[in-house]
Amino acid sequence: MQKLLTTRNADMMKRLHSFLQRRGVPVTVSEHGNQLELWLVQSSYSALAKDLIAEFKADPDGAEAELEQASQASPRAQQTPSLVQQLLRQAGLLTIIYAVLVSLVFALLNTQLAMPLFENLRISDSFTDLPWLQPWRFLTPTLLHFSVLHFLFNVFWWWYLGGRFERAYGSLYLLIALVACAVFSNVMQFMVSGPYFGGLSGVVYGLFGIAVVVAWQRPAHPLFLPIGLIGFMLVWLLLGYTDLLWVNVANTAHSAGLIAGLVLGIAIRVIEHINKTNTAHGS
């Protein structure tokens, strides 16, 4: 995250925050003592954000009026976005690509290609040897889903959590999270139960762990999760260790993914703190 502005003027900050958000710039506001700080969530918007702030400072009323006129002049602004448009707005490129891959593999697993596909995507052909000569297998079990409910549950949470994470931090960060959580959760599950498992749940719980840490006590953060949702995810995790669920659950992958996500979330908070400190010292 990048600090854009510091002020004591709450009304101006409120207007500027709204102005930038309406222009599609991902920003958030935090309090530091008696100061309000405007932070840019995704660094790729830095140049646009600075230009818009300069425009707003030069003539706040004019900038807001121009934005309002543009909104009224655009026919699309008068239309309610379709469900597909709303879903696409909630995700980034990597989120979409991986969801499509998971969907394609699920469709193929319900054809005559199911067995050769599973044999090539499972983590290993052995119960004891990790696939060091075929490293993609550390990741590919995340593409395997064996029931409609399993598939829908994981794709939904991947889109919800992964999409928000990618929109906030960028595709590179999501790729790192995907690989780290997938490899750790898949290896841990393999060591416990062998190669006959699959699913994106370890990554989903990893993204959940990241969201809990980076947005903890930060309700304005784009990854902030309500306490009810956090409770649901934890209860579902614990239920997997009982005999109450009607499906087989890769519990180790879930728990390992969550642990990996918590660690990544802490790392992101540390990086944000370092960047914030360096920015404060440089200003």
mmCIF file of all heavy atoms in Angstrom, residues 160-203:
data_model
loop_
_atom_site.group_PDB
_atom_site.id
_atom_site.type_symbol
_atom_site.label_atom_id
_atom_site.label_comp_id
_atom_site.label_asym_id
_atom_site.label_seq_id
_atom_site.Cartn_x
_atom_site.Cartn_y
_atom_site.Cartn_z
ATOM 1 N N TYR A 160 -14.590 -15.394 -4.647
ATOM 2 C CA TYR A 160 -14.882 -14.390 -3.627
ATOM 3 C C TYR A 160 -13.609 -13.903 -2.939
ATOM 4 O O TYR A 160 -13.357 -12.696 -2.849
ATOM 5 C CB TYR A 160 -15.837 -14.987 -2.589
ATOM 6 C CG TYR A 160 -16.245 -14.019 -1.500
ATOM 7 C CD1 TYR A 160 -17.273 -13.105 -1.702
ATOM 8 C CD2 TYR A 160 -15.606 -14.024 -0.261
ATOM 9 C CE1 TYR A 160 -17.660 -12.222 -0.698
ATOM 10 C CE2 TYR A 160 -15.981 -13.141 0.743
ATOM 11 C CZ TYR A 160 -17.004 -12.249 0.521
ATOM 12 O OH TYR A 160 -17.367 -11.364 1.511
ATOM 13 N N LEU A 161 -12.786 -14.841 -2.464
ATOM 14 C CA LEU A 161 -11.574 -14.461 -1.732
ATOM 15 C C LEU A 161 -10.421 -14.127 -2.672
ATOM 16 O O LEU A 161 -9.730 -13.118 -2.487
ATOM 17 C CB LEU A 161 -11.171 -15.601 -0.790
ATOM 18 C CG LEU A 161 -12.151 -15.907 0.342
ATOM 19 C CD1 LEU A 161 -11.754 -17.199 1.052
ATOM 20 C CD2 LEU A 161 -12.221 -14.748 1.333
ATOM 21 N N GLY A 162 -10.203 -14.961 -3.693
ATOM 22 C CA GLY A 162 -9.119 -14.718 -4.634
ATOM 23 C C GLY A 162 -9.347 -13.457 -5.445
ATOM 24 O O GLY A 162 -8.408 -12.694 -5.695
ATOM 25 N N GLY A 163 -10.590 -13.226 -5.855
ATOM 26 C CA GLY A 163 -10.894 -12.027 -6.625
ATOM 27 C C GLY A 163 -10.626 -10.760 -5.836
ATOM 28 O O GLY A 163 -10.012 -9.819 -6.329
ATOM 29 N N ARG A 164 -11.074 -10.734 -4.600
ATOM 30 C CA ARG A 164 -10.821 -9.563 -3.750
ATOM 31 C C ARG A 164 -9.333 -9.358 -3.506
ATOM 32 O O ARG A 164 -8.836 -8.231 -3.531
ATOM 33 C CB ARG A 164 -11.541 -9.735 -2.403
ATOM 34 C CG ARG A 164 -13.054 -9.596 -2.479
ATOM 35 C CD ARG A 164 -13.661 -9.677 -1.101
ATOM 36 N NE ARG A 164 -15.088 -9.373 -1.144
ATOM 37 C CZ ARG A 164 -15.758 -8.867 -0.118
ATOM 38 N NH1 ARG A 164 -15.150 -8.606 1.012
ATOM 39 N NH2 ARG A 164 -17.048 -8.629 -0.221
ATOM 40 N N PHE A 165 -8.642 -10.464 -3.264
ATOM 41 C CA PHE A 165 -7.208 -10.367 -2.994
ATOM 42 C C PHE A 165 -6.462 -9.837 -4.223
ATOM 43 O O PHE A 165 -5.596 -8.967 -4.114
ATOM 44 C CB PHE A 165 -6.663 -11.739 -2.602
ATOM 45 C CG PHE A 165 -5.207 -11.735 -2.235
ATOM 46 C CD1 PHE A 165 -4.787 -11.232 -1.014
ATOM 47 C CD2 PHE A 165 -4.253 -12.237 -3.101
ATOM 48 C CE1 PHE A 165 -3.442 -11.228 -0.664
ATOM 49 C CE2 PHE A 165 -2.919 -12.237 -2.766
ATOM 50 C CZ PHE A 165 -2.507 -11.735 -1.538
ATOM 51 N N GLU A 166 -6.819 -10.352 -5.409
ATOM 52 C CA GLU A 166 -6.146 -9.906 -6.629
ATOM 53 C C GLU A 166 -6.461 -8.449 -6.932
ATOM 54 O O GLU A 166 -5.575 -7.693 -7.351
ATOM 55 C CB GLU A 166 -6.557 -10.785 -7.811
ATOM 56 C CG GLU A 166 -5.792 -10.448 -9.087
ATOM 57 C CD GLU A 166 -6.080 -11.395 -10.240
ATOM 58 O OE1 GLU A 166 -7.008 -12.230 -10.120
ATOM 59 O OE2 GLU A 166 -5.380 -11.302 -11.270
ATOM 60 N N ARG A 167 -7.698 -8.031 -6.726
ATOM 61 C CA ARG A 167 -8.066 -6.643 -6.970
ATOM 62 C C ARG A 167 -7.335 -5.699 -6.020
ATOM 63 O O ARG A 167 -6.991 -4.578 -6.376
ATOM 64 C CB ARG A 167 -9.576 -6.453 -6.805
ATOM 65 C CG ARG A 167 -10.425 -7.275 -7.773
ATOM 66 C CD ARG A 167 -10.517 -6.677 -9.131
ATOM 67 N NE ARG A 167 -11.314 -5.461 -9.165
ATOM 68 C CZ ARG A 167 -11.611 -4.804 -10.274
ATOM 69 N NH1 ARG A 167 -11.149 -5.244 -11.435
ATOM 70 N NH2 ARG A 167 -12.333 -3.714 -10.240
ATOM 71 N N ALA A 168 -7.071 -6.172 -4.802
ATOM 72 C CA ALA A 168 -6.430 -5.326 -3.796
ATOM 73 C C ALA A 168 -4.910 -5.308 -3.927
ATOM 74 O O ALA A 168 -4.281 -4.259 -3.783
ATOM 75 C CB ALA A 168 -6.830 -5.785 -2.396
ATOM 76 N N TYR A 169 -4.306 -6.472 -4.207
ATOM 77 C CA TYR A 169 -2.849 -6.581 -4.160
ATOM 78 C C TYR A 169 -2.199 -6.905 -5.500
ATOM 79 O O TYR A 169 -0.979 -6.853 -5.621
ATOM 80 C CB TYR A 169 -2.445 -7.649 -3.125
ATOM 81 C CG TYR A 169 -2.680 -7.199 -1.708
ATOM 82 C CD1 TYR A 169 -3.855 -7.531 -1.040
ATOM 83 C CD2 TYR A 169 -1.740 -6.438 -1.024
ATOM 84 C CE1 TYR A 169 -4.082 -7.114 0.263
ATOM 85 C CE2 TYR A 169 -1.951 -6.018 0.273
ATOM 86 C CZ TYR A 169 -3.123 -6.355 0.906
ATOM 87 O OH TYR A 169 -3.351 -5.935 2.198
ATOM 88 N N GLY A 170 -2.985 -7.287 -6.490
ATOM 89 C CA GLY A 170 -2.424 -7.565 -7.805
ATOM 90 C C GLY A 170 -2.264 -9.042 -8.094
ATOM 91 O O GLY A 170 -2.282 -9.888 -7.195
ATOM 92 N N SER A 171 -2.081 -9.362 -9.369
ATOM 93 C CA SER A 171 -2.012 -10.757 -9.826
ATOM 94 C C SER A 171 -0.775 -11.483 -9.314
ATOM 95 O O SER A 171 -0.828 -12.688 -9.028
ATOM 96 C CB SER A 171 -2.036 -10.801 -11.360
ATOM 97 O OG SER A 171 -3.214 -10.222 -11.866
ATOM 98 N N LEU A 172 0.358 -10.771 -9.202
ATOM 99 C CA LEU A 172 1.581 -11.419 -8.733
ATOM 100 C C LEU A 172 1.416 -11.925 -7.309
ATOM 101 O O LEU A 172 1.799 -13.059 -6.998
ATOM 102 C CB LEU A 172 2.764 -10.456 -8.822
ATOM 103 C CG LEU A 172 4.111 -11.018 -8.318
ATOM 104 C CD1 LEU A 172 4.507 -12.256 -9.112
ATOM 105 C CD2 LEU A 172 5.199 -9.949 -8.402
ATOM 106 N N TYR A 173 0.843 -11.120 -6.449
ATOM 107 C CA TYR A 173 0.626 -11.545 -5.062
ATOM 108 C C TYR A 173 -0.324 -12.744 -5.013
ATOM 109 O O TYR A 173 -0.131 -13.667 -4.214
ATOM 110 C CB TYR A 173 0.065 -10.388 -4.237
ATOM 111 C CG TYR A 173 1.117 -9.564 -3.534
ATOM 112 C CD1 TYR A 173 1.969 -8.731 -4.254
ATOM 113 C CD2 TYR A 173 1.258 -9.598 -2.159
ATOM 114 C CE1 TYR A 173 2.932 -7.963 -3.625
ATOM 115 C CE2 TYR A 173 2.223 -8.836 -1.504
ATOM 116 C CZ TYR A 173 3.052 -8.019 -2.249
ATOM 117 O OH TYR A 173 4.014 -7.268 -1.619
ATOM 118 N N LEU A 174 -1.366 -12.730 -5.839
ATOM 119 C CA LEU A 174 -2.287 -13.864 -5.854
ATOM 120 C C LEU A 174 -1.585 -15.118 -6.355
ATOM 121 O O LEU A 174 -1.815 -16.218 -5.830
ATOM 122 C CB LEU A 174 -3.504 -13.557 -6.724
ATOM 123 C CG LEU A 174 -4.535 -14.697 -6.819
ATOM 124 C CD1 LEU A 174 -5.082 -15.057 -5.447
ATOM 125 C CD2 LEU A 174 -5.683 -14.317 -7.760
ATOM 126 N N LEU A 175 -0.728 -14.989 -7.361
ATOM 127 C CA LEU A 175 0.010 -16.138 -7.868
ATOM 128 C C LEU A 175 0.909 -16.728 -6.785
ATOM 129 O O LEU A 175 0.969 -17.955 -6.613
ATOM 130 C CB LEU A 175 0.849 -15.729 -9.083
ATOM 131 C CG LEU A 175 1.707 -16.831 -9.716
ATOM 132 C CD1 LEU A 175 0.826 -17.966 -10.232
ATOM 133 C CD2 LEU A 175 2.562 -16.268 -10.843
ATOM 134 N N ILE A 176 1.588 -15.859 -6.043
ATOM 135 C CA ILE A 176 2.441 -16.332 -4.945
ATOM 136 C C ILE A 176 1.602 -17.062 -3.900
ATOM 137 O O ILE A 176 1.970 -18.142 -3.421
ATOM 138 C CB ILE A 176 3.192 -15.147 -4.308
ATOM 139 C CG1 ILE A 176 4.207 -14.567 -5.295
ATOM 140 C CG2 ILE A 176 3.894 -15.573 -3.017
ATOM 141 C CD1 ILE A 176 4.833 -13.267 -4.844
ATOM 142 N N ALA A 177 0.448 -16.491 -3.555
ATOM 143 C CA ALA A 177 -0.428 -17.113 -2.565
ATOM 144 C C ALA A 177 -0.955 -18.458 -3.065
ATOM 145 O O ALA A 177 -1.000 -19.443 -2.311
ATOM 146 C CB ALA A 177 -1.588 -16.184 -2.236
ATOM 147 N N LEU A 178 -1.357 -18.512 -4.337
ATOM 148 C CA LEU A 178 -1.859 -19.748 -4.930
ATOM 149 C C LEU A 178 -0.821 -20.849 -4.859
ATOM 150 O O LEU A 178 -1.096 -21.965 -4.389
ATOM 151 C CB LEU A 178 -2.270 -19.493 -6.383
ATOM 152 C CG LEU A 178 -2.572 -20.718 -7.258
ATOM 153 C CD1 LEU A 178 -3.747 -21.499 -6.709
ATOM 154 C CD2 LEU A 178 -2.835 -20.293 -8.700
ATOM 155 N N VAL A 179 0.389 -20.561 -5.320
ATOM 156 C CA VAL A 179 1.447 -21.579 -5.360
ATOM 157 C C VAL A 179 1.851 -22.005 -3.944
ATOM 158 O O VAL A 179 1.952 -23.201 -3.649
ATOM 159 C CB VAL A 179 2.669 -21.058 -6.142
ATOM 160 C CG1 VAL A 179 3.824 -22.046 -6.037
ATOM 161 C CG2 VAL A 179 2.299 -20.825 -7.599
ATOM 162 N N ALA A 180 2.067 -21.036 -3.070
ATOM 163 C CA ALA A 180 2.527 -21.353 -1.717
ATOM 164 C C ALA A 180 1.501 -22.186 -0.961
ATOM 165 O O ALA A 180 1.840 -23.221 -0.355
ATOM 166 C CB ALA A 180 2.833 -20.067 -0.957
ATOM 167 N N CYS A 181 0.249 -21.761 -0.983
ATOM 168 C CA CYS A 181 -0.792 -22.481 -0.250
ATOM 169 C C CYS A 181 -1.073 -23.842 -0.877
ATOM 170 O O CYS A 181 -1.300 -24.832 -0.165
ATOM 171 C CB CYS A 181 -2.067 -21.658 -0.191
ATOM 172 S SG CYS A 181 -1.912 -20.124 0.755
ATOM 173 N N ALA A 182 -1.061 -23.909 -2.211
ATOM 174 C CA ALA A 182 -1.319 -25.179 -2.893
ATOM 175 C C ALA A 182 -0.224 -26.194 -2.603
ATOM 176 O O ALA A 182 -0.508 -27.346 -2.240
ATOM 177 C CB ALA A 182 -1.438 -24.947 -4.396
ATOM 178 N N VAL A 183 1.020 -25.789 -2.756
ATOM 179 C CA VAL A 183 2.135 -26.725 -2.556
ATOM 180 C C VAL A 183 2.158 -27.226 -1.116
ATOM 181 O O VAL A 183 2.261 -28.436 -0.861
ATOM 182 C CB VAL A 183 3.475 -26.055 -2.923
ATOM 183 C CG1 VAL A 183 4.642 -26.943 -2.502
ATOM 184 C CG2 VAL A 183 3.539 -25.778 -4.420
ATOM 185 N N PHE A 184 2.044 -26.309 -0.154
ATOM 186 C CA PHE A 184 2.126 -26.722 1.251
ATOM 187 C C PHE A 184 0.958 -27.636 1.629
ATOM 188 O O PHE A 184 1.147 -28.688 2.253
ATOM 189 C CB PHE A 184 2.150 -25.493 2.160
ATOM 190 C CG PHE A 184 2.374 -25.816 3.601
ATOM 191 C CD1 PHE A 184 3.567 -26.387 4.031
ATOM 192 C CD2 PHE A 184 1.392 -25.553 4.548
ATOM 193 C CE1 PHE A 184 3.776 -26.694 5.365
ATOM 194 C CE2 PHE A 184 1.590 -25.849 5.884
ATOM 195 C CZ PHE A 184 2.795 -26.424 6.299
ATOM 196 N N SER A 185 -0.265 -27.261 1.239
ATOM 197 C CA SER A 185 -1.428 -28.070 1.607
ATOM 198 C C SER A 185 -1.420 -29.420 0.884
ATOM 199 O O SER A 185 -1.765 -30.457 1.488
ATOM 200 C CB SER A 185 -2.724 -27.313 1.292
ATOM 201 O OG SER A 185 -2.836 -27.021 -0.084
ATOM 202 N N ASN A 186 -1.007 -29.442 -0.378
ATOM 203 C CA ASN A 186 -0.972 -30.704 -1.120
ATOM 204 C C ASN A 186 0.079 -31.664 -0.569
ATOM 205 O O ASN A 186 -0.162 -32.874 -0.441
ATOM 206 C CB ASN A 186 -0.699 -30.437 -2.604
ATOM 207 C CG ASN A 186 -1.892 -29.830 -3.320
ATOM 208 O OD1 ASN A 186 -3.028 -29.969 -2.869
ATOM 209 N ND2 ASN A 186 -1.645 -29.151 -4.414
ATOM 210 N N VAL A 187 1.237 -31.131 -0.249
ATOM 211 C CA VAL A 187 2.301 -31.991 0.291
ATOM 212 C C VAL A 187 1.894 -32.556 1.648
ATOM 213 O O VAL A 187 2.089 -33.747 1.931
ATOM 214 C CB VAL A 187 3.628 -31.212 0.397
ATOM 215 C CG1 VAL A 187 4.662 -32.016 1.200
ATOM 216 C CG2 VAL A 187 4.178 -30.909 -0.991
ATOM 217 N N MET A 188 1.315 -31.724 2.500
ATOM 218 C CA MET A 188 0.890 -32.201 3.821
ATOM 219 C C MET A 188 -0.194 -33.271 3.687
ATOM 220 O O MET A 188 -0.162 -34.293 4.392
ATOM 221 C CB MET A 188 0.367 -31.023 4.650
ATOM 222 C CG MET A 188 1.416 -30.011 5.059
ATOM 223 S SD MET A 188 2.731 -30.708 6.113
ATOM 224 C CE MET A 188 4.051 -30.895 4.909
ATOM 225 N N GLN A 189 -1.151 -33.071 2.776
ATOM 226 C CA GLN A 189 -2.205 -34.059 2.590
ATOM 227 C C GLN A 189 -1.634 -35.361 2.022
ATOM 228 O O GLN A 189 -2.038 -36.462 2.427
ATOM 229 C CB GLN A 189 -3.285 -33.515 1.651
ATOM 230 C CG GLN A 189 -4.498 -34.416 1.479
ATOM 231 C CD GLN A 189 -5.285 -34.571 2.760
ATOM 232 O OE1 GLN A 189 -5.549 -33.606 3.465
ATOM 233 N NE2 GLN A 189 -5.682 -35.801 3.063
ATOM 234 N N PHE A 190 -0.688 -35.253 1.097
ATOM 235 C CA PHE A 190 -0.038 -36.435 0.519
ATOM 236 C C PHE A 190 0.685 -37.254 1.592
ATOM 237 O O PHE A 190 0.608 -38.482 1.607
ATOM 238 C CB PHE A 190 0.948 -35.989 -0.559
ATOM 239 C CG PHE A 190 1.820 -37.079 -1.100
ATOM 240 C CD1 PHE A 190 1.300 -38.061 -1.928
ATOM 241 C CD2 PHE A 190 3.167 -37.141 -0.782
ATOM 242 C CE1 PHE A 190 2.097 -39.078 -2.445
ATOM 243 C CE2 PHE A 190 3.976 -38.145 -1.281
ATOM 244 C CZ PHE A 190 3.439 -39.109 -2.114
ATOM 245 N N MET A 191 1.371 -36.572 2.485
ATOM 246 C CA MET A 191 2.111 -37.273 3.530
ATOM 247 C C MET A 191 1.193 -38.012 4.493
ATOM 248 O O MET A 191 1.555 -39.036 5.061
ATOM 249 C CB MET A 191 2.987 -36.273 4.298
ATOM 250 C CG MET A 191 4.100 -35.677 3.448
ATOM 251 S SD MET A 191 5.062 -34.414 4.316
ATOM 252 C CE MET A 191 5.864 -35.418 5.576
ATOM 253 N N VAL A 192 -0.039 -37.516 4.633
ATOM 254 C CA VAL A 192 -0.984 -38.136 5.557
ATOM 255 C C VAL A 192 -1.799 -39.241 4.889
ATOM 256 O O VAL A 192 -2.023 -40.299 5.474
ATOM 257 C CB VAL A 192 -1.937 -37.064 6.138
ATOM 258 C CG1 VAL A 192 -3.095 -37.703 6.904
ATOM 259 C CG2 VAL A 192 -1.170 -36.111 7.042
ATOM 260 N N SER A 193 -2.229 -39.008 3.629
ATOM 261 C CA SER A 193 -3.205 -39.930 3.031
ATOM 262 C C SER A 193 -2.813 -40.507 1.680
ATOM 263 O O SER A 193 -3.575 -41.285 1.105
ATOM 264 C CB SER A 193 -4.545 -39.205 2.877
ATOM 265 O OG SER A 193 -4.428 -38.140 1.942
ATOM 266 N N GLY A 194 -1.663 -40.105 1.124
ATOM 267 C CA GLY A 194 -1.301 -40.602 -0.192
ATOM 268 C C GLY A 194 -1.817 -39.697 -1.298
ATOM 269 O O GLY A 194 -2.326 -38.606 -1.036
ATOM 270 N N PRO A 195 -1.741 -40.138 -2.562
ATOM 271 C CA PRO A 195 -2.005 -39.250 -3.708
ATOM 272 C C PRO A 195 -3.463 -39.128 -4.134
ATOM 273 O O PRO A 195 -3.767 -38.363 -5.045
ATOM 274 C CB PRO A 195 -1.185 -39.902 -4.822
ATOM 275 C CG PRO A 195 -1.240 -41.358 -4.497
ATOM 276 C CD PRO A 195 -1.210 -41.450 -2.996
ATOM 277 N N TYR A 196 -4.374 -39.866 -3.493
ATOM 278 C CA TYR A 196 -5.753 -39.894 -3.971
ATOM 279 C C TYR A 196 -6.602 -38.810 -3.292
ATOM 280 O O TYR A 196 -7.437 -39.084 -2.431
ATOM 281 C CB TYR A 196 -6.361 -41.278 -3.766
ATOM 282 C CG TYR A 196 -5.685 -42.318 -4.615
ATOM 283 C CD1 TYR A 196 -4.724 -43.174 -4.068
ATOM 284 C CD2 TYR A 196 -5.975 -42.430 -5.978
ATOM 285 C CE1 TYR A 196 -4.082 -44.110 -4.849
ATOM 286 C CE2 TYR A 196 -5.338 -43.374 -6.765
ATOM 287 C CZ TYR A 196 -4.390 -44.202 -6.203
ATOM 288 O OH TYR A 196 -3.740 -45.128 -6.984
ATOM 289 N N PHE A 197 -6.381 -37.578 -3.711
ATOM 290 C CA PHE A 197 -7.152 -36.450 -3.204
ATOM 291 C C PHE A 197 -7.087 -35.339 -4.247
ATOM 292 O O PHE A 197 -6.313 -35.400 -5.203
ATOM 293 C CB PHE A 197 -6.585 -35.956 -1.864
ATOM 294 C CG PHE A 197 -5.225 -35.319 -1.969
ATOM 295 C CD1 PHE A 197 -5.089 -33.954 -2.191
ATOM 296 C CD2 PHE A 197 -4.064 -36.092 -1.886
ATOM 297 C CE1 PHE A 197 -3.831 -33.376 -2.318
ATOM 298 C CE2 PHE A 197 -2.813 -35.518 -2.009
ATOM 299 C CZ PHE A 197 -2.696 -34.154 -2.226
ATOM 300 N N GLY A 198 -7.870 -34.329 -4.054
ATOM 301 C CA GLY A 198 -7.840 -33.175 -4.948
ATOM 302 C C GLY A 198 -8.727 -32.076 -4.418
ATOM 303 O O GLY A 198 -9.510 -32.287 -3.483
ATOM 304 N N GLY A 199 -8.603 -30.911 -5.003
ATOM 305 C CA GLY A 199 -9.464 -29.795 -4.612
ATOM 306 C C GLY A 199 -8.695 -28.520 -4.347
ATOM 307 O O GLY A 199 -7.501 -28.537 -4.046
ATOM 308 N N LEU A 200 -9.419 -27.429 -4.454
ATOM 309 C CA LEU A 200 -8.859 -26.095 -4.264
ATOM 310 C C LEU A 200 -9.037 -25.599 -2.824
ATOM 311 O O LEU A 200 -8.692 -24.469 -2.508
ATOM 312 C CB LEU A 200 -9.557 -25.140 -5.242
ATOM 313 C CG LEU A 200 -8.953 -23.771 -5.561
ATOM 314 C CD1 LEU A 200 -7.510 -23.885 -6.062
ATOM 315 C CD2 LEU A 200 -9.825 -23.055 -6.593
ATOM 316 N N SER A 201 -9.539 -26.466 -1.949
ATOM 317 C CA SER A 201 -9.885 -26.028 -0.596
ATOM 318 C C SER A 201 -8.687 -25.536 0.198
ATOM 319 O O SER A 201 -8.816 -24.608 1.007
ATOM 320 C CB SER A 201 -10.561 -27.171 0.171
ATOM 321 O OG SER A 201 -11.707 -27.611 -0.500
ATOM 322 N N GLY A 202 -7.514 -26.167 0.017
ATOM 323 C CA GLY A 202 -6.333 -25.717 0.738
ATOM 324 C C GLY A 202 -5.984 -24.282 0.383
ATOM 325 O O GLY A 202 -5.628 -23.482 1.255
ATOM 326 N N VAL A 203 -6.117 -23.947 -0.895
ATOM 327 C CA VAL A 203 -5.861 -22.568 -1.340
ATOM 328 C C VAL A 203 -6.941 -21.632 -0.810
ATOM 329 O O VAL A 203 -6.652 -20.509 -0.378
ATOM 330 C CB VAL A 203 -5.795 -22.500 -2.876
ATOM 331 C CG1 VAL A 203 -5.659 -21.061 -3.348
ATOM 332 C CG2 VAL A 203 -4.633 -23.339 -3.389
#
